Structures are given as C-alpha cells and as structure tokens.
Amino acid sequence: MARRLVNRQDVIIGRHALRAFLDVPEGAAGLVIFAHGSGSGRHSPRNHYVAEGLHRAHFATLLIDLLTPREELDRRNVFDVRLLAGRLREAADWTQTIKPLAKLPLGYFGASTGAAAALIAASMPDDRAAAVVSRGGRPDLAGEAALGRVHAPTLLIVGSLDHDVLGLNRDAQSSMSAPAELVVVPGASHLFEEPGTLDQVIALATRWFSSHLKGKTP
C-alpha cells in the first residue's frame, strides 16, 4: 500500500478479507469508518454521498462490507449486530497497522442496524473511537449494557417521519452515560430520501466529528 494515501483505494482488510473503499483526502484530520445497515454495503449511494461531504471537511473514510459474500447469503448474519461489531473492530484494528491511518483520530458512522454495531464496537475495551454518529439507527439493538459502556460522544440523527425509530432512539439515549445528542431532521423518513435531508445529515455529522476528532491524537 502506498505510503501516502490519496483518493479512493480498494482495500482488503483483516483475516476475513473484508472488502472496502478507502478515501484519504490531503490533510485528513480524522478517519470515519462506516457501518452499513442491513442489506447494504460499501456501494451504498447514501453513505457514499455522506462520505463525500466528510471528505470536503478533510475527513478520511472507510466504507466496508462487514460480511463476506458467502456470509451475506445467510440473512441471520445481516442482522447479527454483535458479529458486525466484531468485524468493525477488526477494521479499526487494521487501520492501526497502516502508517498514514494509525495517527488519525477515529470515529464510527452507523446507519440502521449498523448503528447498533458501531455502538457495540465503541463499548468494547480499548476501542479507540472518539465519536459515533448514527443516521436513522437502531441503537436499541446494542442493548442497555453496551450503551452504558460507550464512552465516545454519540450523535443520534433521526427523521421526524420515522416515528417508531425516533422513540427507540430516545430510549437508547436515556441508557447512555456518554454525552449523547438526539437531533430530529424535519420532514425526513427512515432512509432520508427527501430533498435536502441527507445534506442536513452531512452538516450534522461534520459538526460532530469536527468537534470530537479534530485536534485529537489516537
């Protein structure tokens, strides 16, 4: 791998040979690993759109398939948030072996069930994530015990039209001991398909990661 990482690279990660897209802009101030929701992966157009917004704010991104193609055939794996959390930690550990990435402060961006995986990963001993952002997430699936062990400041973004998930996020927020902010995006549904709503997600995520990653050392 090149000593200096610029633009998109296809990378293979860890002992499970997980496929990922890595983008490291010049002067990167931090690294954000994306944990996709059920049935989604590194090709997710919504997460690519959010990642591009983070690049403009000088954040590197890693969009990773947390399951192998064979594992994806078993739908139980897609919803196994603890399995996904373990893979997310595998990716985080991998970044420590890559010199240009190891010095960057780390954050997680989780969507749908991927948010639960991100929070479980952040609750693990010695996890180095300094911030977590959830978009339309299911943090409740992480469980109260894991939520209570998360130390990274967490931003929960939910659409105002996503009524059931909004309630679940409020409950999850109350279970967290780490700083946790809940932001409701007006007129947004679960997938943030409405015009302008995903741009609001980018602005919120950029603010959160800028506050909690920039200027920090891993």
Side-chain angles (χ1 to χ4, degrees):
M1 182 170 294
R3 179 180 178 81
R4 183 178 169 192
L5 300 174
V6 181
N7 299 321
R8 172 157 300 161
Q9 294 194 23
D10 292 308
V11 295
I12 298 177
I13 294 173
R15 63 188 182 90
H16 293 99
L18 304 174
R19 301 295 302 271
F21 294 136
L22 173 66
D23 287 272
V24 183
E26 293 284 356
L31 170 65
V32 178
I33 303 179
F34 280 64
H36 311 291
S38 56
S40 185
R42 73 187 191 279
H43 295 286
S44 164
R46 292 181 187 85
N47 282 343
H48 275 277
Y49 189 74
V50 174
E52 289 168 3
L54 293 176
H55 299 159
R56 293 192 293 271
H58 304 289
F59 289 106
T61 60
L62 183 68
L63 279 70
I64 182 172
D65 290 342
L66 296 176
L67 298 173
T68 66
R70 175 175 290 184
E71 289 170 336
E72 288 177 350
L73 297 176
D74 185 342
R75 293 293 293 173
R76 291 173 296 182
N77 292 329
V78 173
F79 296 97
D80 188 340
V81 292
R82 280 160 181 77
L83 170 63
L84 300 178
R87 298 295 173 81
L88 191 58
R89 275 300 303 268
E90 186 175 328
D93 292 343
W94 173 84
T95 67
Q96 287 288 85
T97 69
I98 307 301
K99 190 173 182 180
L101 303 181
K103 60 186 179 183
L104 296 178
L106 177 68
Y108 295 140
F109 182 96
S112 191
T113 52
L119 288 165
I120 293 171
S123 77
M124 294 178 181
D126 303 321
D127 187 82
R128 68 184 188 93
V132 178
V133 173
S134 163
R135 171 183 67 83
R138 290 291 309 275
D140 55 296
L141 296 177
E144 286 190 15
L147 290 171
R149 291 193 299 267
V150 174
H151 297 291
T154 299
L155 174 63
L156 306 171
I157 306 172
V158 186
S160 66
L161 305 180
D162 199 6
H163 304 294
D164 292 340
V165 170
L166 178 56
L168 294 170
N169 273 255
R170 287 191 174 119
D171 291 342
Q173 182 187 25
S174 67
S175 298
M176 298 186 69
S177 56
E181 181 178 336
L182 174 62
V183 176
V184 180
V185 176
S189 59
H190 183 63
L191 295 179
F192 291 82
E193 297 175 301
E194 296 74 18
T197 56
L198 209 52
D199 292 308
Q200 293 184 59
V201 170
I202 291 172
L204 291 165
T206 298
R207 171 181 66 83
W208 198 257
F209 288 130
S210 296
S211 296
H212 298 289
L213 297 188
K214 286 187 175 181
K216 295 194 175 183
T217 56

